Amino acid sequence: MGRSRRALVAVLGSAALALAGALAVPGTAHAANVLSNPGFESGSLSPWSCSGNLGSVVSSPVHGGSKALAGAVTSSDNAQCTQTVSVQPNTAYTLSGWVRGSYVYLGVDGGASTWTSSPSTYSQLKVPFTTGASQTSVKLYVHGWYAQGTYYADDIALDGPGGGNSSDTQAPSAPTNLTSTGKTSSSVSLSWSAASDNVGVTGYDVYSGGNQVLSVSGTSATVGGLSASTAYTFTVKARDAAGNTSAASNSVSVTTSAGSGSGTGFKQAAPYLYLGWGDPPSATSVMSATGIKWYTMAFMLDSGGCNPAWDGSRALTGGVDQSTINQIRSAGGDIVPSFGGWQGSKLGANCSSAGALAGALQKVIDAYSLKAIDMDIENTDEFENEAVQARILTALKTVKANNPGLKTIVTFGTSTTGPTYYGNRLIEQAKSLDAGIDVFTIMPFDFGGGSDMYGNTVNAAEGLKAKLKSTFGWDDATAYSHIGISGMNGLSDQQENTTPAIWTSIRDWANSHHIARLAYWAVNRDRPCAGGGVVSNCSGISQSDWQFTSITAGFTG
């Protein structure tokens, strides 16, 4: 219904502009693109400004040249990107652009617009309009639709005569009171007081040293992709519609936190343990027998109304889960809760917005003073739902910013050669949203691994490394340091057999390539039952008690 209403506004806007044209004969627009950075070939957004800092410049997919705009739509923000330009009064113009995505809009603020749905290829949109009798500037926009996934735009043009910007040569005043409002190991949040201008400020450019790193329309921004324990100096400049740029604000120097993630040493050997079924063993007894220090506790689900509960039914605190966690910590260990899984009522799918999901995650973080959280994104309700992927990533970005030092892990399925379509999509969304994910963990089982579980696991991890390199621009070492492997001991549902010897080889490969995380499903199954099949309390093969956990404990990265 929202899209129908938006289309109606477009029709009414077109009618209003047409009426204005009927009252005064418009001038002729000479074909010249008066937009700045129309194809984003500069590699930065400026002078475009995008809501929620959700816009970014990407190298693929593009329509022309080597760059395009990506708008990482969320359930609460349509990632609208705008540019204000000077125009001549009473003159006909044509706005056009090439777009790709589900429900992408192109239009004039307060006037005409159009939209299309073209998820797999670029499609051209055109919006003719006529300026008002005294109109000298116009704000143009492109945006997606809520919860419909990232859109792309390229080669945007406004054909018509320029507005003679020489009439406004006065630059805005410099922004003041620039300060840092927060930091993590990979990001710095900034805020400042607004600048003023004789006509109007249209945006702000954020600089790190002499390099422009961000363009925003408001008076706050978060700069991501930074290195841990590193000093940065930031300034901000204001600009107006005529392209006049202010002097720089006061500078602020910030040293990012000393993180153990983002390629700076975060290592975690944490096999899954579940308490709701599968004859759960004594966590501390297994710790004593194997040397394991971390467990991934499964699963945190929705008990209704976006409220977290263990397995969706056991209270967040006060039950067997909390007592087990207390025992683990008393024995010198710790836990990372896993949200989601293959089935059940999941918070990512059920919470109505990224903000609501972040609130649910925060309840668990606060209850257990967590150092890390794992989002196990599976099945059609989360992994194969692009809107839910974006919701989860946005929520993780929020809790990471609100909890300095918190490590965020996403776990998802794979093919034998690397991420699937939806795995690639998840990684690309993480980049577009600047979600700051610390570890991308693949699950190399039930993936057609056949008899070569070592070779296919390594091939899948190498495929993930290649995708991380191409998406984030990392080198080999940095990409490996963001990788996790979560296997399945013994027999999988597809009768793939990961033996103790194979798991040892996988662990040794993980150590030699310095990946971030090694886990497996599950400690409950780390018991022998040769010929027992695929069950919840043993591996289905011949092994010794807790053998896979002992092997995993040898992961040091």
Side-chain angles (χ1 to χ4, degrees):
M1 183 168 180
R3 282 193 287 274
S4 299
R5 194 162 51 241
R6 186 68 178 81
L8 177 60
V9 171
V11 171
L12 292 175
S14 299
L17 286 169
L19 179 59
L23 296 176
V25 178
T28 300
H30 303 284
N33 189 0
V34 298
L35 290 181
S36 298
N37 198 18
F40 307 94
E41 296 301 311
S42 70
S44 70
L45 288 173
S46 181
W48 296 89
S49 296
C50 299
S51 62
N53 295 335
L54 296 176
S56 63
V57 176
V58 297
S59 299
S60 178
V62 301
H63 172 260
S66 61
K67 304 291 182 183
L69 167 70
V73 170
T74 71
S75 59
S76 58
D77 194 317
N78 62 9
Q80 177 169 284
C81 297
T82 64
Q83 183 178 151
T84 300
V85 296
S86 296
V87 293
Q88 293 184 8
N90 193 33
T91 300
Y93 289 83
T94 298
L95 172 65
S96 64
W98 291 86
V99 299
R100 173 175 172 172
S102 297
Y103 302 102
V104 188
Y105 291 79
L106 183 71
V108 181
D109 190 40
S113 70
T114 188
W115 63 273
T116 189
S117 183
S118 182
S120 59
T121 60
Y122 273 95
S123 177
Q124 189 178 34
L125 295 175
K126 286 190 175 183
V127 182
F129 67 96
T130 299
T131 53
S134 59
Q135 187 175 0
T136 57
S137 68
V138 63
K139 184 197 277 190
L140 311 172
Y141 65 79
V142 58
H143 67 72
W145 196 248
Y146 303 97
Q148 295 299 312
T150 300
Y151 71 85
Y152 303 92
D154 201 0
D155 299 326
I156 303 175
L158 179 63
D159 290 330
N165 291 348
S166 60
S167 61
D168 177 16
T169 59
Q170 182 174 330
S173 64
T176 57
N177 301 319
L178 176 64
T179 186
S180 172
T181 57
K183 65 179 182 179
T184 69
S185 61
S186 60
S187 67
V188 171
S189 296
L190 303 167
S191 69
W192 56 89
S193 298
S196 59
D197 185 66
N198 63 313
V199 176
V201 174
T202 58
Y204 296 89
D205 299 326
V206 181
Y207 290 80
S208 175
N211 298 319
Q212 182 186 330
V213 293
L214 206 60
S215 294
V216 296
S217 56
T219 55
S220 64
T222 296
V223 181
L226 307 179
S227 299
S229 302
T230 302
Y232 294 88
T233 299
F234 298 98
T235 56
V236 178
K237 296 180 181 180
R239 52 185 160 72
D240 61 19
N244 301 308
T245 302
S246 76
S249 68
N250 61 292
S251 64
V252 59
S253 295
V254 185
T255 298
T256 50
S257 302
S260 56
S262 299
T264 60
F266 175 56
K267 307 296 177 184
Q268 188 181 77
Y272 281 81
L273 174 68
Y274 44 94
L275 301 182
W277 71 104
D279 299 331
S282 164
T284 52
S285 295
V286 175
M287 292 172 69
S288 178
T290 66
I292 201 72
K293 293 296 184 183
W294 279 80
Y295 290 103
T296 304
M297 298 280 286
F299 279 108
M300 190 64 67
L301 296 172
D302 181 19
S303 64
C306 192
N307 288 306
W310 295 103
D311 284 335
S313 59
R314 299 190 306 279
L316 177 59
T317 58
V320 63
D321 303 274
Q322 182 171 21
S323 64
T324 300
I325 292 169
N326 291 343
Q327 293 164 14
I328 291 169
R329 287 176 168 173
S330 295
D334 211 339
I335 68 102
V336 51
S338 184
F339 294 75
W342 179 255
Q343 60 189 4
S345 183
K346 304 173 193 176
L347 291 160
N350 292 350
C351 293
S352 61
S353 66
L357 177 57
L361 301 182
Q362 191 66 50
K363 289 179 183 178
V364 186
I365 293 167
D366 292 341
Y368 291 104
S369 300
L370 296 174
K371 299 180 180 69
I373 58 174
D374 169 50
M375 296 296 293
D376 192 338
I377 308 171
E378 301 188 51
N379 219 324
T380 56
D381 56 346
E382 289 192 332
F383 187 53
E384 296 180 13
N385 185 317
E386 294 178 1
V388 174
Q389 279 193 7
R391 183 184 306 158
I392 290 171
L393 291 168
T394 304
L396 288 174
K397 178 179 180 178
T398 299
V399 296
K400 189 174 180 67
N402 292 338
N403 300 272
L406 180 75
K407 303 307 169 191
T408 53
I409 303 160
V410 292
T411 299
F412 51 97
T414 184
S415 75
T416 56
T417 57
T420 63
Y421 168 83
Y422 286 104
N424 286 328
R425 186 73 172 73
L426 182 72
I427 293 165
E428 291 162 3
Q429 286 221 70
K431 173 64 166 68
S432 294
L433 290 167
D434 192 21
I437 301 302
D438 292 288
V439 186
F440 296 86
T441 299
I442 52 170
M443 295 184 289
F445 60 89
D446 291 340
F447 72 144
S451 60
D452 187 11
M453 287 300 285
Y454 169 76
N456 283 316
T457 295
V458 168
N459 288 340
E462 291 287 359
L464 173 60
K465 180 208 72 173
K467 180 61 179 178
L468 294 177
K469 285 181 64 179
S470 65
T471 301
F472 292 95
W474 293 334
D475 59 17
D476 280 357
T478 303
Y480 281 128
S481 72
H482 286 78
I483 286 176
I485 293 174
S486 182
M488 185 171 182
N489 63 311
L491 293 181
S492 73
D493 302 289
Q494 292 184 1
Q495 299 297 301
E496 301 154 327
N497 188 1
T498 300
T499 65
I502 290 173
W503 189 240
T504 300
S505 296
I506 291 171
R507 181 209 59 193
D508 292 346
W509 182 91
N511 277 334
S512 66
H513 289 77
H514 310 298
I515 73 169
R517 172 173 158 89
L518 187 66
Y520 76 89
W521 183 265
V523 177
N524 305 60
R525 302 179 72 248
D526 196 9
R527 294 175 275 213
C529 61
V534 183
V535 292
S536 63
N537 61 355
C538 59
S539 63
I541 64 172
S542 178
Q543 63 157 98
S544 59
D545 284 348
W546 323 131
Q547 189 171 3
F548 284 87
T549 306
S550 295
I551 295 166
T552 306
F555 170 72
T556 60

